[in-house]
Amino acid sequence: LTTARDMFDAEVCELLLFNSDGTQGRDVRLEGDGASIAATKLDFEDVRLDPREGVWARVAAESRGVLIRDASATRAGEGPIGRLAAGALSVAESKSDDTAARVLDYYRGRGVKAAMVAPLRVEDNVVGTLLVGNRRGSTAAWANADLTLLETLANHAGVAIENSRQADELAHQRDELERSATHDSLTGLANRTLFRRQITDGLATKQPGAVMLLDLDRFKEVNDTLGHHNGDQLLRQVGARLNRLRGAKMSVARLGGDEFALLLEDTPNVDDVSAAVASLLAAFDAAFVVQGVTVHVEASVGISLYPAHGNDADSLLRRADVAMYQAKHGHTRYQIYERQSDPYSEARLALMGELRRATEQGQLSVVYQPQQAADSGEIHSVEALVRWHHPQRGELPPDEFITLAERSEIIHPLTRFVLERAIEQSAAWARDGLDVRVSVNLSARNLHDAGLATDIAAMLERHSVPPSNLELEITETSIESDPRGTEELLATLHEMGVGIAIDDFGTGYSAFSYLQRLPVDEIKIDRSFVMGMEADERKHQIVRSTIQLGHNMGLRVVAEGVESELAQNELTSLGCDVLQGYHIGRPMSADMCGARLRRAAVSRPRVLRQSV
Ligand code: C2E
Ligand code: CA
Ligand code: CA
């Protein structure tokens, strides 16, 4: 515009840029002579374009320059607007005097008397117009040569504008690409790539921080019942809630599926981490509404701290994942990573290798914990519990190696080992005249083991043990992980006559609906409710209503973790059927358990009881 102004001594210069459909434009107007900055005015204005109005329409339509000789005083016989370049066409000569009048009105309204307008061309399209108006200090109007010059200038401007437009476009495309490569399209949050980069940046600051991995509980269920579309809807809402936690120190990402992650930077204080976790979990307090359906969603959070738990993004993410897995399975809602319980830590990997050989080398054994009938004090059943006698580390509790086995294929031979031992033992006791049912724990993975039912049938047959003398304990959580798969296996086993118990009852999130679908015989109230129920009214209530629930569904109810006489008495008066716990008897060797069974049988002979 300044070049045009100086070249043509114009008072006013205007650049009008059209949008693609020609209905709207952007007007850039330069006024003043540039002698002083104050006197120079540059205006930007978005204008509506009426195609019947303004010289630009002519210019655009004809793609040629137009000369307006004098918009204020029209001399008779001479058109006020002339096309003086190639075709020497003037508006007055053109078909529509109407158009000419309107054009003049338009410019008069804008304070323009004499003017030249040239098209801005990009390739073959007119994308705008360049106008110079009101020749300064001269009464002589602009001539043909001036218009040609303006057209040339406009051509250069067109190229320049197009270049910058393309540069903008490219920058925009680059931004979009960058965005889609680093952001999740569903929630708009950072994706795994960006999140890893953010962790790396966080590590580089040398300030401590935390990586928090969050996984929705039972999201699969929501997806299955409400459909994928609504599942996506829910994820978007979760993403939006988490996004509100974002701040200077907190980044939020969606890593995929129902897995989200947060990075907490510059937090040397563990209390800050706790506060962040609390606000993270609080984000799930209110229910979500998807398609009018209220959905309560809970989440499990795993946390790794840096630099304590790693100094690269991948190991921090992996460790947060290990902690998240533990939070999920321990129902603790959140968990900070602990090296000693990491199944993938070096020590644990070594242990896994050793566990593989332990079965073959006879390092595993099975102990038995008696289960006593609450009313009669008789012992009709025992629970088989595995033990590992590690050559260097001594006896290891199952909690230290079962989770390890469960995360690998080792759980299959391990379960078969315990089953074989327990069934063998039941046969041995039967030969001694002791009729006991043995319970064996199954892991979630066992429920996907297609060959398990046939193998169990073969073991029972091999040792001539009636299927009713075997019971299998499964947890609510393993049912939740795959309700359909579980159904089939349990149906098969139940048809064979094998008993089914729900272990750790009350710790899952289930709405108990599976109790109607699955062939369950028994529920085992989790020991966390039983231990201390004497002194805790809430626990007492839970135990009481669980017993009622079980009985209403025609199930046998077992209480685990009976540690005192008081608890035993309370449970008995609440109508609990079977008691198991340290107060009744600790897990013990088969020999000791046999002796215990014999004593129980002698002290309370069944024949006697029946005759009473
Ligand atoms: P669980 O199935 O709930 O087994 C009961 C656990 O509670 C046993 O721990 C038992 O020793 C303990 N317990 C029994 N009475 C009391 C009591 O009065 N107070 C307290 N505080 N604890 C009591 P254990 O043997 O350490 O087993 C722990 C878990 O390991 C078991 O929990 C079970 O989930 C798993 N497990 C044990 N053996 C096997 C197995 O052969 N296969 C599988 N898959 N899991 C097993
Ligand atoms: Ca059990
Ligand atoms: Ca249990």
Side-chain angles (χ1 to χ4, degrees):
L1 287 175
T2 48
T3 306
R5 178 195 59 197
D6 299 345
M7 205 181 244
F8 299 101
D9 280 329
E11 265 173 27
V12 180
C13 294
E14 251 183 42
L15 197 59
L16 188 62
L17 297 171
F18 313 152
N19 69 353
S20 50
D21 64 1
T23 59
Q24 202 127 30
R26 188 152 175 78
D27 183 74
V28 187
R29 187 181 165 100
L30 179 77
E31 279 177 277
D33 60 4
S36 75
I37 292 176
T40 308
K41 218 165 113 237
L42 190 62
D43 279 331
F44 291 85
E45 184 190 359
D46 283 321
V47 290
R48 268 208 69 74
L49 302 180
D50 181 340
R52 296 162 309 166
E53 195 179 70
V55 145
W56 64 268
R58 277 192 67 78
V59 172
E62 296 173 8
S63 191
R64 288 191 293 197
V66 168
L67 189 69
I68 302 169
R69 290 206 191 88
D70 187 349
S72 57
T74 309
R75 264 167 284 158
E78 197 185 11
I81 299 175
R83 162 67 212 171
L84 299 174
L89 172 113
S90 77
V91 170
E93 296 158 9
S94 80
K95 50 201 171 301
S96 166
D97 287 326
D98 228 28
T99 309
R102 259 200 304 274
V103 166
L104 293 177
D105 280 347
Y106 173 79
Y107 280 105
R108 247 180 247 128
R110 299 180 73 81
V112 174
K113 287 173 251 124
M116 294 190 288
V117 188
L120 287 174
R121 263 185 294 254
V122 167
E123 287 168 0
D124 257 356
N125 300 317
V126 177
V127 298
T129 54
L130 175 62
L131 172 145
V132 289
N134 302 350
R135 192 165 194 181
R136 196 191 306 277
S138 160
T139 44
W142 285 303
N144 296 359
D146 297 315
L147 186 60
T148 310
L149 199 57
L150 182 68
E151 282 180 324
T152 311
L153 180 65
N155 284 343
H156 285 292
V159 172
I161 286 167
E162 177 57 11
N163 283 347
S164 81
R165 212 201 284 254
Q166 272 176 5
D168 280 357
E169 180 88 351
L170 275 173
H172 180 71
Q173 279 173 1
R174 203 186 42 229
D175 286 354
E176 279 292 295
L177 257 172
E178 163 86 5
R179 226 193 127 65
S180 67
T182 54
H183 287 77
D184 163 44
S185 58
L186 185 68
T187 60
L189 295 174
N191 66 8
R192 187 181 288 271
T193 309
L194 180 56
F195 192 67
R196 286 177 70 249
R197 211 184 292 159
Q198 286 167 335
I199 298 177
T200 309
D201 292 348
L203 283 164
T205 64
K206 301 279 176 222
Q207 294 300 318
V211 174
M212 303 192 270
L213 212 69
L214 179 144
D215 190 278
L216 304 186
D217 297 332
R218 297 191 303 147
F219 176 69
K220 194 176 171 297
E221 214 171 278
V222 173
N223 235 0
D224 288 350
T225 48
L226 298 180
H228 284 270
H229 172 70
N230 291 320
D232 281 355
Q233 190 85 329
L234 178 63
L235 290 176
R236 222 173 283 138
Q237 290 186 28
V238 169
R241 279 199 198 172
L242 294 180
N243 199 32
R244 272 179 232 141
L245 301 172
R246 227 173 56 177
K249 287 182 174 185
M250 180 100 97
S251 330
V252 181
R254 174 170 173 242
L255 303 188
D258 59 346
E259 205 174 65
F260 293 84
L262 290 90
L263 175 69
L264 193 56
E265 287 182 77
D266 193 11
T267 37
N269 202 330
V270 179
D271 286 347
D272 294 342
V273 178
S274 309
V277 175
S279 56
L280 178 54
L281 290 172
F284 292 88
D285 282 351
F288 293 85
V289 179
V290 179
Q291 278 241 294
V293 179
T294 305
V295 190
H296 289 274
V297 178
E298 284 188 59
S300 301
V301 183
I303 303 147
S304 62
L305 305 172
Y306 60 84
H309 298 147
N311 38 33
D312 65 274
D314 286 332
S315 42
L316 286 167
L317 275 169
R318 201 186 52 67
R319 287 175 173 172
D321 184 57
V322 167
M324 193 273 291
Y325 184 89
Q326 280 170 354
K328 197 161 260 228
H329 288 263
H331 302 296
T332 54
R333 296 200 78 191
Y334 73 94
Q335 177 77 47
I336 295 183
Y337 173 78
E338 286 167 354
R339 209 172 285 273
Q340 63 271 23
S341 49
D342 182 352
Y344 298 112
S345 75
E346 267 167 53
R348 293 241 127 191
L349 283 175
L351 202 63
M352 190 117 93
E354 291 171 352
L355 181 57
R356 225 179 275 280
R357 287 185 297 274
T359 335
E360 295 135 40
Q361 297 175 350
Q363 292 172 16
L364 295 186
S365 71
V366 176
V367 292
Y368 301 89
Q369 185 174 31
Q371 299 180 327
Q372 177 175 298
D375 55 357
S376 67
E378 290 170 5
I379 297 171
H380 301 306
S381 54
V382 296
E383 177 173 359
L385 296 159
V386 71
R387 295 291 178 263
W388 181 7
H389 309 273
H390 191 276
Q392 282 87 44
R393 302 174 57 186
E395 184 167 301
L396 292 175
D399 289 335
E400 278 194 26
F401 63 91
I402 288 288
T403 43
L404 192 61
E406 280 175 344
R407 294 191 98 173
S408 70
E409 295 302 310
I410 303 177
I411 194 65
H412 298 303
L414 188 143
T415 300
R416 279 179 174 69
F417 169 82
V418 177
L419 277 165
E420 181 89 48
R421 267 301 150 81
I423 291 170
E424 198 175 28
Q425 190 56 53
S426 172
W429 281 327
R431 282 195 295 275
D432 275 0
L434 299 166
D435 184 21
V436 273
R437 185 180 61 236
V438 191
S439 290
V440 173
N441 294 284
L442 291 192
S443 294
R445 250 176 203 250
N446 295 134
L447 302 175
H448 306 282
D449 181 350
L452 190 65
T454 24
D455 284 0
I456 289 176
M459 288 181 208
L460 289 169
E461 183 145 347
R462 189 157 55 240
H463 298 286
S464 311
V465 169
S468 58
N469 267 8
L470 176 67
E471 186 169 69
L472 299 173
E473 298 189 2
I474 52 171
T475 62
E476 288 181 302
T477 20
S478 51
I479 296 172
E480 282 158 13
S481 67
D482 179 15
R484 300 269 157 251
T486 312
E487 220 168 305
E488 245 173 77
L489 180 75
L490 295 191
T492 313
L493 288 166
H494 201 254
E495 258 163 51
M496 281 165 51
V498 174
I500 308 290
I502 304 298
D503 203 358
D504 303 347
F505 189 82
T507 55
Y509 299 103
S510 268
F512 306 140
S513 58
Y514 65 88
L515 285 177
Q516 276 155 332
R517 277 199 334 268
L518 302 179
V520 175
D521 304 289
E522 177 183 295
I523 54 175
K524 301 185 74 178
I525 309 177
D526 190 66
R527 57 181 186 272
S528 62
F529 302 117
V530 177
M531 283 156 47
M533 67 176 279
E534 313 93 301
D536 186 333
E537 184 52 31
R538 203 185 62 95
K539 285 184 179 179
H540 190 95
Q541 289 283 359
I542 293 174
V543 170
R544 188 173 59 196
S545 51
T546 308
I547 293 170
Q548 273 170 6
L549 171 87
H551 286 168
N552 287 342
M553 305 208 63
L555 305 174
R556 184 169 58 232
V557 181
V558 181
E560 291 189 299
V562 182
E563 292 189 336
S564 71
E565 181 153 14
L566 209 57
Q568 175 174 4
N569 293 340
E570 273 190 32
L571 287 160
T572 308
S573 69
L574 288 175
C576 187
D577 303 295
V578 180
L579 312 176
Q580 180 181 353
Y582 291 169
H583 179 66
I584 311 296
R586 292 192 173 243
M588 53 189 103
S589 70
D591 284 352
M592 280 173 73
C593 193
R596 176 71 197 272
L597 289 168
R598 237 168 274 127
R599 249 186 296 134
V602 170
S603 60
R604 290 184 194 78
R606 229 181 270 189
V607 197
L608 254 184
R609 231 175 65 83
Q610 276 168 7
S611 64
V612 171

